[in-house]
Amino acid sequence: MTNTWAPVPEGSGFGIDNLPYGIFSPSDVGSRVGVRIGDHVLDLRAALGDQVFERASLNDFMARGRDYWTATRRRIIDLLTDPTQRVRAAEILHPLDQVTLHLPIEVADYVDFYASEHHATNLGTMFRPDSAALLPNWKHLPVGYHGRAGTIIASGTPVTRPSGQRKAPADPSPVFGPSARLDIEVEVGYVVGTPSELGKPVSTKEFTDHVFGVCLVNDWSARDIQAWEYVPLGPFLGKSFATSISPWIVPLDALAAARVPTPQQDPAPLPYLEEPEPWGLDLRLEFVLNGHTVSRPPYAQMYWSPAQMLSHMTVNGASLRTGDLFASGTVSGPEANQRGSLIELTWNGTEPLHLPDGRTRTFLEDGDLVTLSGSATGPSGSPISLGEVTARIQPPEAARS
């Protein structure tokens, strides 16, 4: 790891090889762009002087494109490794526990994919036991759906239990009420910085020209609402009530050492989905429920890469906008303790999860605290943290009024 004069605790995942971007507000000034280094936030407006960093979102900075992102990262590294800059520490570094973190981007569009073969196979086996687990299109294209950009929320924002129509298979008719099968989904999100033209597809090799960085995503899911509504058009109200993202956007440059090949794709994808240099990522994820680790999904086993998702998302001519967010879908591995959702961990509620404190869960209960975290390995073997995305479940509005 390159030495820095900034205070970085031993083993921190926020050393100089990481440098993720976020939006923060100190007590004395408004919201602005910062970079996390150790347990501090580097104030980029004060440190570098560019007014683009005096914004309440990363969008204006991200819109400037890859050359500017690369140059800015170089400037930050130079500043943090120049010992003469230590005298400015009090002016440009803010202790993390003395600032407020915010939603890092203005979300333009939100697309969620379904890129884990293990997750898709688990759900297919659950709900179509007499048929093939994967539908015929699954290995030919990255399946996805459009979500609600307006319901993307910052880590730490409570999630209110949603209400909607539910109908169990044995029920004669649907009923309306709070979801009884509230779930989480461990996901990885990709943030678009540079837009594209309407009508012009973006190829897999252009991935790094457009995608700024990576965040953690919890795509909250009301499984009972979803089960009743999703045929024939797919997810709607069971998904659109809230999606939480982490406060830090890790730039792609910080994850170069974490790149790995995607799993063997058979059949071979169509030409527009071919990757000259595969964009698999070796990310280690963790799902913690009420302080107890219940699963560790491995992102390296995701079948479809983010470059393939981006290419498929635009192959019909759909344009990209600064602030677009697209997510991987639930990350699950082949082992039971690598499943990235409660519906898998409890096999649709038939195998309750036993927590170390003696409690059991099939789906989330009011008051539950969910934390997702993730990390990768940096160029010198140092950890690269994706941070955390966390939220507590609140009772439905009717119960609190």
Side-chain angles (χ1 to χ4, degrees), residues 379-393:
S380 56
S382 58
I384 301 288
S385 178
L386 302 180
E388 295 182 344
V389 55
T390 186
R392 191 177 296 277
I393 305 303

Side-chain angles (χ1 to χ4, degrees), residues 78-134:
D78 287 347
L79 184 151
L80 290 172
T81 55
D82 179 356
T84 67
Q85 296 294 324
R86 187 190 297 269
V87 296
R88 302 179 62 199
E91 171 195 353
I92 60 179
L93 285 183
H94 298 265
L96 192 62
D97 59 5
Q98 295 179 25
V99 304
T100 301
L101 301 179
H102 305 280
L103 192 69
I105 60 172
E106 290 180 47
V107 183
D109 283 313
Y110 170 52
V111 173
D112 195 24
F113 283 93
Y114 191 49
S116 166
E117 182 175 3
H118 297 294
H119 174 66
T121 298
N122 285 339
L123 265 60
T125 301
M126 237 179 266
F127 297 120
R128 296 186 300 275
D130 299 323
S131 305
L134 297 179

